[in-house]
Amino acid sequence: MTIEKIAKILDAKLVCGKQMLKQNIEYGFASDLMSDVLTLDEENVVLITGLTNMQTLRTAEMAEIPCVIFVRNKKASKEMIQIANENDMVIIECKYSMFKTIGILYENKLEPVY
Amino acid sequence: MNFNYKIKGGDFSAAGRASSEIKKILKKLNVNPKVIKRIVVALYEAEVNVVAHADKGSINAEIDSEKIRITVVDEGPGIADIDLAMTEGFSTASSKVREMGFGAGMGLPNMKKNADILNIKSKVGQGTMVELITFFKS
Ligand SMILES: Nc1ncnc2c1ncn2[C@@H]1O[C@H](COP(=O)(O)OP(=O)(O)O)[C@@H](O)[C@H]1O
Ligand SMILES: [Mg+2]
């Protein structure tokens, strides 16, 4: 599913990375534990997280994760947006809970990593 | 080619800067993206370990046509039992480190998984040296 579709079905705000909207996402991974995210071998993963700090973006950068969704209305800071822009990554701010966000993505057939 | 970076213990806002710089260099050198990911994931966990567990440190990266050799050296508490520290789930991380998304005891095992060669030397009360070597072609 494209990043564009993800933002649409979550009724969520695209903070940066407009140029990446057509990129295809195959897998979803939800975690607040960045060490766990760093163990993934899959490509085209969207990270769904409630952890909003610089390390979330650095982790996505190192792990080649093209799209990060912040749940529960958590906001991306200027510094986070800067890292995302440098690396062509998309940040999405979603008002739904972690549970609801994941549920919607799962219902729409986004694959789990495990 | 040789690159050097400094790391400040406790400074989570800056953790990952050196890894990011090295990632950009490897991209410019057209290293296979899969290999780049393995290198920078291991390096980033090592960088975070200095920020999380030590007082200060430095990263040196030596790149030649076939490999990258990275040494991460710190001044800090050191590791008393390296085998124990390598066990998945072993962690002495503070709650502050856990709030940052680390401290689950997965860093060293993941460094071992991703690097071709991992060497760790440590002296309690003095510091730790982590060496990560990865070949560009397997
Ligand atoms: N540079 C270091 N200096 C001191 N202790 C370290 C260092 N790196 C790792 N350790 C020790 O090894 C443990 C395991 O490290 P790691 O697997 O990265 O897990 P975590 O960092 O999540 O605790 C740490 O909790 C810490 O006790
Ligand atoms: Mg660690």
Side-chain angles (χ1 to χ4, degrees), chain A residues 19-20 57-58 60-62 64-66 80-90, chain B residues 20 23-24 27:
Chain A
Q19 73 281 13
M20 303 300 290
L57 271 294
R58 288 295 184 202
E61 177 187 5
M62 302 310 152
E64 295 280 339
I65 289 177
M80 293 179 209
I81 294 170
Q82 194 186 329
I83 295 180
N85 281 334
E86 270 175 32
N87 295 283
D88 275 334
M89 296 183 323
V90 180
Chain B
S20 174
K23 184 176 179 191
K24 289 191 180 95
K27 263 190 170 167

PDB file of all heavy atoms in Angstrom, chain A residues 19-20 57-58 60-62 64-66 80-90, chain B residues 20 23-24 27:
ATOM      1  N   GLN A  19       7.220  14.126  -1.427  1.00  0.00           N
ATOM      2  CA  GLN A  19       7.764  13.539  -2.651  1.00  0.00           C
ATOM      3  C   GLN A  19       7.779  12.012  -2.595  1.00  0.00           C
ATOM      4  O   GLN A  19       8.005  11.345  -3.596  1.00  0.00           O
ATOM      5  CB  GLN A  19       9.174  14.094  -2.935  1.00  0.00           C
ATOM      6  CG  GLN A  19      10.289  13.581  -2.018  1.00  0.00           C
ATOM      7  CD  GLN A  19      10.328  14.261  -0.644  1.00  0.00           C
ATOM      8  OE1 GLN A  19       9.402  14.951  -0.242  1.00  0.00           O
ATOM      9  NE2 GLN A  19      11.411  14.044   0.093  1.00  0.00           N
ATOM     10  N   MET A  20       7.534  11.445  -1.389  1.00  0.00           N
ATOM     11  CA  MET A  20       7.611   9.992  -1.216  1.00  0.00           C
ATOM     12  C   MET A  20       6.233   9.318  -1.190  1.00  0.00           C
ATOM     13  O   MET A  20       6.122   8.127  -0.936  1.00  0.00           O
ATOM     14  CB  MET A  20       8.340   9.662   0.090  1.00  0.00           C
ATOM     15  CG  MET A  20       9.723  10.238   0.208  1.00  0.00           C
ATOM     16  SD  MET A  20      10.816   9.646  -1.089  1.00  0.00           S
ATOM     17  CE  MET A  20      10.979   7.952  -0.568  1.00  0.00           C
ATOM     18  N   LEU A  57      13.891   9.035  14.952  1.00  0.00           N
ATOM     19  CA  LEU A  57      14.257   9.386  13.576  1.00  0.00           C
ATOM     20  C   LEU A  57      15.610   8.806  13.193  1.00  0.00           C
ATOM     21  O   LEU A  57      15.799   8.299  12.081  1.00  0.00           O
ATOM     22  CB  LEU A  57      14.271  10.918  13.426  1.00  0.00           C
ATOM     23  CG  LEU A  57      12.946  11.557  13.017  1.00  0.00           C
ATOM     24  CD1 LEU A  57      12.582  11.125  11.593  1.00  0.00           C
ATOM     25  CD2 LEU A  57      11.802  11.178  13.944  1.00  0.00           C
ATOM     26  N   ARG A  58      16.553   8.856  14.127  1.00  0.00           N
ATOM     27  CA  ARG A  58      17.872   8.258  13.846  1.00  0.00           C
ATOM     28  C   ARG A  58      17.734   6.754  13.582  1.00  0.00           C
ATOM     29  O   ARG A  58      18.386   6.213  12.686  1.00  0.00           O
ATOM     30  CB  ARG A  58      18.828   8.481  15.026  1.00  0.00           C
ATOM     31  CG  ARG A  58      19.312   9.908  15.182  1.00  0.00           C
ATOM     32  CD  ARG A  58      20.157  10.347  14.004  1.00  0.00           C
ATOM     33  NE  ARG A  58      20.712  11.691  14.178  1.00  0.00           N
ATOM     34  CZ  ARG A  58      21.106  12.464  13.181  1.00  0.00           C
ATOM     35  NH1 ARG A  58      20.983  12.049  11.930  1.00  0.00           N
ATOM     36  NH2 ARG A  58      21.600  13.654  13.407  1.00  0.00           N
ATOM     37  N   ALA A  60      15.091   5.177  12.396  1.00  0.00           N
ATOM     38  CA  ALA A  60      14.486   5.008  11.072  1.00  0.00           C
ATOM     39  C   ALA A  60      15.527   5.256   9.978  1.00  0.00           C
ATOM     40  O   ALA A  60      15.585   4.534   8.977  1.00  0.00           O
ATOM     41  CB  ALA A  60      13.301   5.959  10.912  1.00  0.00           C
ATOM     42  N   GLU A  61      16.371   6.259  10.206  1.00  0.00           N
ATOM     43  CA  GLU A  61      17.424   6.566   9.228  1.00  0.00           C
ATOM     44  C   GLU A  61      18.369   5.372   9.053  1.00  0.00           C
ATOM     45  O   GLU A  61      18.620   4.927   7.930  1.00  0.00           O
ATOM     46  CB  GLU A  61      18.208   7.803   9.698  1.00  0.00           C
ATOM     47  CG  GLU A  61      19.372   8.159   8.777  1.00  0.00           C
ATOM     48  CD  GLU A  61      20.246   9.287   9.342  1.00  0.00           C
ATOM     49  OE1 GLU A  61      20.017   9.729  10.478  1.00  0.00           O
ATOM     50  OE2 GLU A  61      21.173   9.694   8.622  1.00  0.00           O
ATOM     51  N   MET A  62      18.869   4.836  10.169  1.00  0.00           N
ATOM     52  CA  MET A  62      19.835   3.727  10.082  1.00  0.00           C
ATOM     53  C   MET A  62      19.170   2.469   9.518  1.00  0.00           C
ATOM     54  O   MET A  62      19.787   1.717   8.772  1.00  0.00           O
ATOM     55  CB  MET A  62      20.434   3.396  11.458  1.00  0.00           C
ATOM     56  CG  MET A  62      21.132   4.543  12.134  1.00  0.00           C
ATOM     57  SD  MET A  62      22.316   5.384  11.082  1.00  0.00           S
ATOM     58  CE  MET A  62      22.249   7.020  11.812  1.00  0.00           C
ATOM     59  N   GLU A  64      16.751   2.234   7.446  1.00  0.00           N
ATOM     60  CA  GLU A  64      16.152   2.436   6.123  1.00  0.00           C
ATOM     61  C   GLU A  64      14.629   2.323   6.162  1.00  0.00           C
ATOM     62  O   GLU A  64      14.025   1.687   5.288  1.00  0.00           O
ATOM     63  CB  GLU A  64      16.709   1.426   5.108  1.00  0.00           C
ATOM     64  CG  GLU A  64      18.191   1.573   4.810  1.00  0.00           C
ATOM     65  CD  GLU A  64      18.478   2.696   3.821  1.00  0.00           C
ATOM     66  OE1 GLU A  64      17.548   3.079   3.084  1.00  0.00           O
ATOM     67  OE2 GLU A  64      19.613   3.195   3.807  1.00  0.00           O
ATOM     68  N   ILE A  65      14.030   2.913   7.172  1.00  0.00           N
ATOM     69  CA  ILE A  65      12.572   2.906   7.277  1.00  0.00           C
ATOM     70  C   ILE A  65      12.039   4.190   6.648  1.00  0.00           C
ATOM     71  O   ILE A  65      12.350   5.278   7.114  1.00  0.00           O
ATOM     72  CB  ILE A  65      12.148   2.770   8.753  1.00  0.00           C
ATOM     73  CG1 ILE A  65      12.472   1.350   9.203  1.00  0.00           C
ATOM     74  CG2 ILE A  65      10.684   3.125   8.970  1.00  0.00           C
ATOM     75  CD1 ILE A  65      12.194   1.069  10.637  1.00  0.00           C
ATOM     76  N   PRO A  66      11.263   4.070   5.564  1.00  0.00           N
ATOM     77  CA  PRO A  66      10.898   5.265   4.810  1.00  0.00           C
ATOM     78  C   PRO A  66       9.764   6.088   5.427  1.00  0.00           C
ATOM     79  O   PRO A  66       9.557   7.229   5.028  1.00  0.00           O
ATOM     80  CB  PRO A  66      10.455   4.707   3.453  1.00  0.00           C
ATOM     81  CG  PRO A  66      10.024   3.303   3.735  1.00  0.00           C
ATOM     82  CD  PRO A  66      10.838   2.829   4.904  1.00  0.00           C
ATOM     83  N   MET A  80      13.482  16.806  14.234  1.00  0.00           N
ATOM     84  CA  MET A  80      13.070  15.511  13.673  1.00  0.00           C
ATOM     85  C   MET A  80      12.719  15.668  12.197  1.00  0.00           C
ATOM     86  O   MET A  80      13.089  14.837  11.361  1.00  0.00           O
ATOM     87  CB  MET A  80      11.845  14.975  14.425  1.00  0.00           C
ATOM     88  CG  MET A  80      12.132  14.591  15.860  1.00  0.00           C
ATOM     89  SD  MET A  80      10.596  14.011  16.621  1.00  0.00           S
ATOM     90  CE  MET A  80      10.919  14.459  18.307  1.00  0.00           C
ATOM     91  N   ILE A  81      12.010  16.738  11.882  1.00  0.00           N
ATOM     92  CA  ILE A  81      11.606  16.979  10.492  1.00  0.00           C
ATOM     93  C   ILE A  81      12.843  17.190   9.614  1.00  0.00           C
ATOM     94  O   ILE A  81      12.908  16.718   8.474  1.00  0.00           O
ATOM     95  CB  ILE A  81      10.646  18.191  10.411  1.00  0.00           C
ATOM     96  CG1 ILE A  81       9.340  17.851  11.137  1.00  0.00           C
ATOM     97  CG2 ILE A  81      10.374  18.590   8.961  1.00  0.00           C
ATOM     98  CD1 ILE A  81       8.412  19.029  11.345  1.00  0.00           C
ATOM     99  N   GLN A  82      13.847  17.847  10.193  1.00  0.00           N
ATOM    100  CA  GLN A  82      15.086  18.087   9.448  1.00  0.00           C
ATOM    101  C   GLN A  82      15.776  16.758   9.087  1.00  0.00           C
ATOM    102  O   GLN A  82      16.203  16.573   7.937  1.00  0.00           O
ATOM    103  CB  GLN A  82      16.012  18.950  10.297  1.00  0.00           C
ATOM    104  CG  GLN A  82      17.167  19.530   9.508  1.00  0.00           C
ATOM    105  CD  GLN A  82      18.141  20.245  10.425  1.00  0.00           C
ATOM    106  OE1 GLN A  82      17.761  20.795  11.462  1.00  0.00           O
ATOM    107  NE2 GLN A  82      19.406  20.210  10.057  1.00  0.00           N
ATOM    108  N   ILE A  83      15.860  15.852  10.051  1.00  0.00           N
ATOM    109  CA  ILE A  83      16.482  14.548   9.755  1.00  0.00           C
ATOM    110  C   ILE A  83      15.659  13.809   8.703  1.00  0.00           C
ATOM    111  O   ILE A  83      16.203  13.204   7.783  1.00  0.00           O
ATOM    112  CB  ILE A  83      16.594  13.685  11.032  1.00  0.00           C
ATOM    113  CG1 ILE A  83      17.551  14.344  12.020  1.00  0.00           C
ATOM    114  CG2 ILE A  83      17.078  12.270  10.692  1.00  0.00           C
ATOM    115  CD1 ILE A  83      17.726  13.568  13.296  1.00  0.00           C
ATOM    116  N   ALA A  84      14.345  13.862   8.839  1.00  0.00           N
ATOM    117  CA  ALA A  84      13.472  13.193   7.872  1.00  0.00           C
ATOM    118  C   ALA A  84      13.700  13.765   6.471  1.00  0.00           C
ATOM    119  O   ALA A  84      13.842  13.022   5.494  1.00  0.00           O
ATOM    120  CB  ALA A  84      12.015  13.335   8.295  1.00  0.00           C
ATOM    121  N   ASN A  85      13.761  15.076   6.377  1.00  0.00           N
ATOM    122  CA  ASN A  85      13.957  15.707   5.063  1.00  0.00           C
ATOM    123  C   ASN A  85      15.302  15.341   4.449  1.00  0.00           C
ATOM    124  O   ASN A  85      15.385  15.084   3.250  1.00  0.00           O
ATOM    125  CB  ASN A  85      13.823  17.225   5.179  1.00  0.00           C
ATOM    126  CG  ASN A  85      12.367  17.655   5.236  1.00  0.00           C
ATOM    127  OD1 ASN A  85      11.473  16.959   4.736  1.00  0.00           O
ATOM    128  ND2 ASN A  85      12.108  18.789   5.875  1.00  0.00           N
ATOM    129  N   GLU A  86      16.330  15.321   5.277  1.00  0.00           N
ATOM    130  CA  GLU A  86      17.660  14.960   4.779  1.00  0.00           C
ATOM    131  C   GLU A  86      17.683  13.560   4.172  1.00  0.00           C
ATOM    132  O   GLU A  86      18.523  13.250   3.338  1.00  0.00           O
ATOM    133  CB  GLU A  86      18.673  14.947   5.933  1.00  0.00           C
ATOM    134  CG  GLU A  86      19.365  16.254   6.184  1.00  0.00           C
ATOM    135  CD  GLU A  86      20.255  16.173   7.424  1.00  0.00           C
ATOM    136  OE1 GLU A  86      20.805  15.096   7.714  1.00  0.00           O
ATOM    137  OE2 GLU A  86      20.367  17.209   8.103  1.00  0.00           O
ATOM    138  N   ASN A  87      16.799  12.697   4.666  1.00  0.00           N
ATOM    139  CA  ASN A  87      16.860  11.287   4.273  1.00  0.00           C
ATOM    140  C   ASN A  87      15.646  10.824   3.472  1.00  0.00           C
ATOM    141  O   ASN A  87      15.412   9.626   3.350  1.00  0.00           O
ATOM    142  CB  ASN A  87      17.010  10.419   5.521  1.00  0.00           C
ATOM    143  CG  ASN A  87      18.327  10.662   6.213  1.00  0.00           C
ATOM    144  OD1 ASN A  87      19.362  10.179   5.765  1.00  0.00           O
ATOM    145  ND2 ASN A  87      18.301  11.435   7.290  1.00  0.00           N
ATOM    146  N   ASP A  88      14.863  11.787   2.966  1.00  0.00           N
ATOM    147  CA  ASP A  88      13.668  11.440   2.198  1.00  0.00           C
ATOM    148  C   ASP A  88      12.734  10.521   2.961  1.00  0.00           C
ATOM    149  O   ASP A  88      12.211   9.537   2.423  1.00  0.00           O
ATOM    150  CB  ASP A  88      14.058  10.745   0.879  1.00  0.00           C
ATOM    151  CG  ASP A  88      14.365  11.767  -0.199  1.00  0.00           C
ATOM    152  OD1 ASP A  88      13.833  12.892  -0.114  1.00  0.00           O
ATOM    153  OD2 ASP A  88      15.120  11.441  -1.127  1.00  0.00           O
ATOM    154  N   MET A  89      12.535  10.822   4.234  1.00  0.00           N
ATOM    155  CA  MET A  89      11.616  10.016   5.027  1.00  0.00           C
ATOM    156  C   MET A  89      10.324  10.788   5.275  1.00  0.00           C
ATOM    157  O   MET A  89      10.315  12.014   5.346  1.00  0.00           O
ATOM    158  CB  MET A  89      12.240   9.641   6.372  1.00  0.00           C
ATOM    159  CG  MET A  89      13.469   8.753   6.208  1.00  0.00           C
ATOM    160  SD  MET A  89      14.233   8.197   7.741  1.00  0.00           S
ATOM    161  CE  MET A  89      14.087   9.552   8.810  1.00  0.00           C
ATOM    162  N   VAL A  90       9.253  10.037   5.411  1.00  0.00           N
ATOM    163  CA  VAL A  90       7.942  10.622   5.662  1.00  0.00           C
ATOM    164  C   VAL A  90       7.628  10.543   7.154  1.00  0.00           C
ATOM    165  O   VAL A  90       7.863   9.520   7.783  1.00  0.00           O
ATOM    166  CB  VAL A  90       6.853   9.849   4.887  1.00  0.00           C
ATOM    167  CG1 VAL A  90       5.479  10.454   5.142  1.00  0.00           C
ATOM    168  CG2 VAL A  90       7.170   9.830   3.401  1.00  0.00           C
TER     169      VAL A  90
ATOM    170  N   SER B  20      25.182   8.773  11.254  1.00  0.00           N
ATOM    171  CA  SER B  20      24.542   9.401  10.104  1.00  0.00           C
ATOM    172  C   SER B  20      25.592   9.908   9.113  1.00  0.00           C
ATOM    173  O   SER B  20      25.452   9.732   7.893  1.00  0.00           O
ATOM    174  CB  SER B  20      23.654  10.548  10.599  1.00  0.00           C
ATOM    175  OG  SER B  20      23.119  11.259   9.521  1.00  0.00           O
ATOM    176  N   LYS B  23      27.110   6.985   7.350  1.00  0.00           N
ATOM    177  CA  LYS B  23      26.161   6.450   6.374  1.00  0.00           C
ATOM    178  C   LYS B  23      26.221   7.257   5.068  1.00  0.00           C
ATOM    179  O   LYS B  23      26.232   6.690   3.965  1.00  0.00           O
ATOM    180  CB  LYS B  23      24.738   6.482   6.945  1.00  0.00           C
ATOM    181  CG  LYS B  23      23.756   5.834   5.998  1.00  0.00           C
ATOM    182  CD  LYS B  23      22.355   5.755   6.537  1.00  0.00           C
ATOM    183  CE  LYS B  23      21.493   5.112   5.464  1.00  0.00           C
ATOM    184  NZ  LYS B  23      20.069   5.205   5.735  1.00  0.00           N
ATOM    185  N   LYS B  24      26.287   8.576   5.198  1.00  0.00           N
ATOM    186  CA  LYS B  24      26.337   9.429   4.005  1.00  0.00           C
ATOM    187  C   LYS B  24      27.613   9.167   3.194  1.00  0.00           C
ATOM    188  O   LYS B  24      27.588   9.129   1.962  1.00  0.00           O
ATOM    189  CB  LYS B  24      26.251  10.900   4.407  1.00  0.00           C
ATOM    190  CG  LYS B  24      24.861  11.268   4.907  1.00  0.00           C
ATOM    191  CD  LYS B  24      24.674  12.771   5.063  1.00  0.00           C
ATOM    192  CE  LYS B  24      23.274  13.072   5.571  1.00  0.00           C
ATOM    193  NZ  LYS B  24      23.217  13.228   7.039  1.00  0.00           N
ATOM    194  N   LYS B  27      27.291   5.870   1.337  1.00  0.00           N
ATOM    195  CA  LYS B  27      26.379   6.030   0.187  1.00  0.00           C
ATOM    196  C   LYS B  27      27.110   6.655  -0.992  1.00  0.00           C
ATOM    197  O   LYS B  27      26.972   6.208  -2.128  1.00  0.00           O
ATOM    198  CB  LYS B  27      25.209   6.939   0.585  1.00  0.00           C
ATOM    199  CG  LYS B  27      23.953   6.205   1.006  1.00  0.00           C
ATOM    200  CD  LYS B  27      22.834   7.227   1.118  1.00  0.00           C
ATOM    201  CE  LYS B  27      21.489   6.602   1.298  1.00  0.00           C
ATOM    202  NZ  LYS B  27      20.505   7.640   1.722  1.00  0.00           N
TER     203      LYS B  27
END
